[in-house]
Amino acid sequence: MAKKGGGNRVERYCAQMNEEAMHRLEMGGHLRRAIEENELFLCYQPIVDVHTRAVKAMEALIRWRHPTLGLVRPDEFIPLAEETGLIHEIGRWVLKTACKQTKRWQEMTGNDQLAIFVNVSAVQFQHERFVDDVKQALRQSRLSPSCLHLELTEHSMLRHLSSTLRTMDELRKLGVGIAVDDFGSGYSSFHYLKRLPATILKIDRAFIEQLHANASDEAIVRAMITMGRGLGLETIAEGVETPEQLDRLRDLQCTYAQGYVICPPLLAEEVTMYVTEKQK
Ligand code: C2E
Ligand code: MG
Ligand code: MG
Ligand code: MG
């Protein structure tokens, strides 16, 4: 393994690789246990109408409360769940929990239009049972399919394009919505966008950040909204943090917004109060 001269560096590199592999293996074991021990839970962030501020939906965001490491964010453990195959079990649990919870909110608040957005990873979407999992979550929760929207990033949609298109068509036939998450951050061309049976574009936070200050960002967001409208897609701006950004989005005729300036992700029990307050 060790080459003449460069040996130390290669050895150090291998040691580091081993350490990383060990860490991943260890965390993989922890994640398996997390499922059994109910350490995973969902937070929910409101998505509101830009003009009226009425609550349209919630986005389910997974969290892991690790007994010693504390709160672990999805960006850290979802890739691990994908590598270990645990994503299928986790994803099924997210779908089921989020649909049931939404039906409960609808009944508690009398708002039967309240929708739920669920993030789906590319690996999960490729699974042959995925559409059945969605059907089962809808059946068990008695949630109307039109109240469920699945979020996939552009990047995941373009992986295995033909099977993705087939699955998307099946989901659309069920009446489930499909949102392109982090829109603008990937490599999708207009050619692909035209072929995707998506229903909603979620404009990536990177374009919203400087919206009020940067003319290029404003031009891009304006173009995304116009294009969305032309293609019959609604638009959601992600990561809205200031009232100025929200004002610009209103001027630009964006449909919905989501972000800290409106509301951070909430615990399930906090949502009932939030929705009830907003309906007053
Ligand atoms: P995402 O779907 O694009 O979710 C948006 C992320 O932005 C969330 O981070 C949310 O908490 C955060 N956020 C919301 N408002 C603001 C804001 O105003 N400013 C800023 N800076 N951030 C804001 P989170 O919860 O850490 O999730 C990160 C990513 O993990 C998600 O990105 C999604 O891709 C993935 N994820 C979350 N839950 C799930 C899940 O149940 N399944 C799968 N497969 N992936 C998930
Ligand atoms: Mg999302
Ligand atoms: Mg996003
Ligand atoms: Mg993201």
Side-chain angles (χ1 to χ4, degrees):
M1 190 86 216
K3 283 198 198 122
K4 212 172 166 186
N8 279 345
R9 195 149 26 111
V10 173
E11 275 160 24
R12 264 204 307 277
Y13 178 69
C14 284
Q16 197 188 336
M17 284 280 285
N18 265 331
E19 213 173 287
E20 269 174 37
M22 284 301 290
H23 177 71
R24 274 219 299 279
L25 202 65
E26 195 186 341
M27 287 300 276
H30 286 196
L31 190 56
R32 196 174 300 277
R33 194 211 50 220
I35 302 172
E36 287 153 19
E37 300 290 323
N38 294 318
E39 289 168 15
L40 301 178
F41 65 102
L42 297 180
C43 279
Y44 299 89
Q45 188 176 34
I47 296 172
V48 305
D49 186 303
V50 169
H51 297 274
T52 66
R53 293 286 200 108
V55 186
K56 172 194 169 58
M58 297 288 156
E59 177 179 359
L61 296 162
I62 197 167
R63 301 285 180 266
W64 177 10
R65 198 181 286 114
H66 188 283
T68 53
L69 297 175
L71 211 58
V72 188
R73 302 205 62 138
D75 285 332
E76 293 171 52
F77 70 87
I78 291 293
L80 184 68
E82 290 182 324
E83 276 172 43
T84 53
L86 289 169
I87 191 66
H88 303 296
E89 197 176 337
I90 293 175
R92 234 171 262 138
W93 175 81
V94 172
L95 264 172
K96 188 178 89 181
T97 308
C99 290
K100 275 194 183 159
Q101 183 59 70
T102 305
K103 183 69 181 181
R104 208 172 302 146
W105 288 325
Q106 290 183 345
E107 289 169 351
M108 287 170 84
T109 62
N111 178 355
D112 60 4
Q113 299 299 306
L114 187 69
I116 185 80
F117 282 71
V118 175
N119 291 286
V120 176
S121 92
V123 177
Q124 189 190 352
F125 199 79
Q126 292 309 318
H127 196 284
E128 54 183 13
R129 267 189 52 192
F130 181 69
V131 177
D132 287 333
D133 290 341
V134 173
K135 284 184 189 163
Q136 192 177 5
L138 289 169
R139 204 169 44 238
Q140 285 179 347
S141 62
R142 293 178 297 111
L143 184 75
S144 157
S146 63
C147 292
L148 174 63
H149 301 268
L150 301 176
E151 295 192 10
L152 275 147
T153 61
E154 284 174 56
H155 183 69
S156 3
M157 288 186 182
L158 299 189
R159 265 167 81 180
H160 318 283
L161 184 65
S162 64
S163 67
T164 301
L165 287 173
R166 257 199 319 276
T167 307
M168 282 188 166
D169 280 330
E170 276 188 70
L171 292 164
R172 288 296 301 128
K173 283 198 191 105
L174 288 181
V176 170
I178 294 167
V180 187
D181 201 356
D182 304 346
F183 181 65
S185 69
Y187 304 101
S188 74
S189 70
F190 296 124
H191 170 70
Y192 289 120
L193 196 62
K194 199 181 90 177
R195 293 178 60 192
L196 293 172
T199 47
I200 295 186
L201 297 179
K202 295 193 77 173
I203 302 173
D204 193 68
R205 178 160 62 86
F207 302 102
I208 307 299
E209 231 171 343
Q210 295 298 318
L211 183 59
H212 52 296
N214 184 311
S216 310
D217 283 332
E218 179 172 321
I220 291 170
V221 172
R222 186 192 301 274
M224 285 176 172
I225 294 168
T226 308
M227 183 187 62
R229 193 174 309 119
L231 293 171
L233 306 172
E234 290 184 310
T235 39
I236 302 179
E238 295 191 290
V240 186
E241 294 184 348
T242 70
E244 290 78 15
Q245 292 165 350
L246 202 51
D247 285 345
R248 290 308 296 135
L249 289 164
R250 195 178 304 121
D251 297 344
L252 296 173
Q253 303 280 319
C254 184
T255 336
Y256 302 106
Q258 175 182 11
Y260 297 155
V261 73
I262 298 153
C263 189
L266 302 171
L267 294 171
E269 48 272 27
E270 295 171 318
V271 172
T272 318
M273 208 151 74
Y274 181 84
V275 175
T276 313
E277 275 299 309
K278 291 274 159 182
Q279 279 176 183
K280 278 185 189 157

